[in-house]
Amino acid sequence: MSKTWRHALVATALGVCTAFVHAAPVTHFGVDHNVSSPNQMTQSKAAAALFDAAVTPNLFTFNGALPAGVTYSRGTVKGVSACGMACGFNTTSGGGHFLELWGGVTTFDFTDGIDAFGLFITGLQSEVAPQQWMVLTYADLSTETIQLPQARFAGGMFAGFTDVGRKVISVSIDVGNDIVALDDLRWRMAAPGQAVPEPGTLALAGLAALALGATRRRRA
């Protein structure tokens, strides 16, 4: 095999390894505009139902104590928003509480790591904050940023993702200067040992395999 071909194969192997490690998470979104109750959130609830069917997640409704190993950085548990339904509301059937976030970022941390996450967000106003984000931090401290779709006129949404094969240790929700309610938090624990090898490890393994193959062919 010529050096040119070997170099081409090495480059291809590195590209495949990098693509595997950095494959984007699969997102789950449902958006409803101008809502004031969970009954109006048809698209959001449909997206949540599909997510639940695929993942079978844990659920936290802010109506009790947080489970062990789960924390959040900002927000206040409320029964009624200080600025009315336009700033969000409870979405739990039979529940009465939610996490109120007055702008900025709140981060949900998971001690043992997760590979799927979702929640309802209400009181969204893209007129006020046209760009809002979900930021994932992985066990290797790399990050992935997902832009949330726009929801207008005190809208609501379900926002979630799955990232099978990787371990997420925190999820940050950045709502800009909007005032929102977060509710019905969902997540699935990552399988033990699920963290994917570093890109460098995979690349070296690919190079070693190519070199071994080339050596065997030269000997033959």
Side-chain angles (χ1 to χ4, degrees):
M1 179 184 290
S2 69
K3 288 184 178 180
T4 301
W5 278 105
R6 284 201 299 272
H7 291 163
L9 283 173
V10 169
T12 301
L14 288 173
V16 171
C17 291
T18 302
F20 173 75
V21 173
H22 295 288
V26 177
T27 55
H28 300 258
F29 291 127
V31 179
D32 298 279
H33 307 293
N34 190 23
V35 296
S36 58
S37 75
N39 292 335
Q40 298 172 318
M41 297 175 62
T42 54
Q43 299 300 317
S44 303
K45 292 167 80 173
L50 290 173
F51 177 87
D52 290 348
V55 172
T56 314
N58 297 291
L59 176 66
F60 179 67
T61 64
F62 296 97
N63 290 293
L66 274 168
V70 182
T71 59
Y72 61 87
S73 62
R74 291 185 61 240
T76 305
V77 175
K78 291 282 191 72
V80 178
S81 174
C83 51
M85 301 295 279
C87 294
F89 47 82
N90 164 69
T91 58
T92 308
S93 177
H97 295 86
F98 54 85
L99 185 69
E100 186 176 73
L101 182 61
W102 279 64
V105 180
T106 190
T107 298
F108 297 96
D109 292 300
F110 300 90
T111 301
D112 296 324
I114 61 172
D115 68 0
F117 175 92
L119 79 171
F120 285 118
I121 311 176
T122 54
L124 291 160
Q125 299 190 70
S126 60
E127 304 87 346
V128 174
Q131 293 186 327
Q132 298 172 325
W133 312 91
M134 180 184 292
V135 181
L136 287 52
T137 301
Y138 295 93
D140 62 4
L141 301 185
S142 63
T143 60
E144 182 83 31
T145 300
I146 300 170
Q147 185 168 0
L148 300 179
Q150 294 186 342
R152 301 185 304 274
F153 312 118
M157 76 167 66
F158 177 81
F161 71 86
T162 57
D163 203 348
V164 179
R166 301 196 69 187
K167 183 177 289 188
V168 176
I169 58 173
S170 71
V171 180
S172 297
I173 307 296
D174 183 351
V175 298
N177 58 350
D178 206 352
I179 303 171
V180 303
L182 312 178
D183 205 358
D184 294 340
L185 188 69
R186 294 157 158 85
W187 69 94
R188 181 175 66 187
M189 304 305 299
Q194 186 160 296
V196 173
E198 294 290 334
T201 302
L202 290 173
L204 287 173
L207 285 171
L210 286 170
L212 180 59
T215 301
R216 285 176 175 172
R217 282 189 292 273
R218 284 199 301 272
R219 287 177 179 172

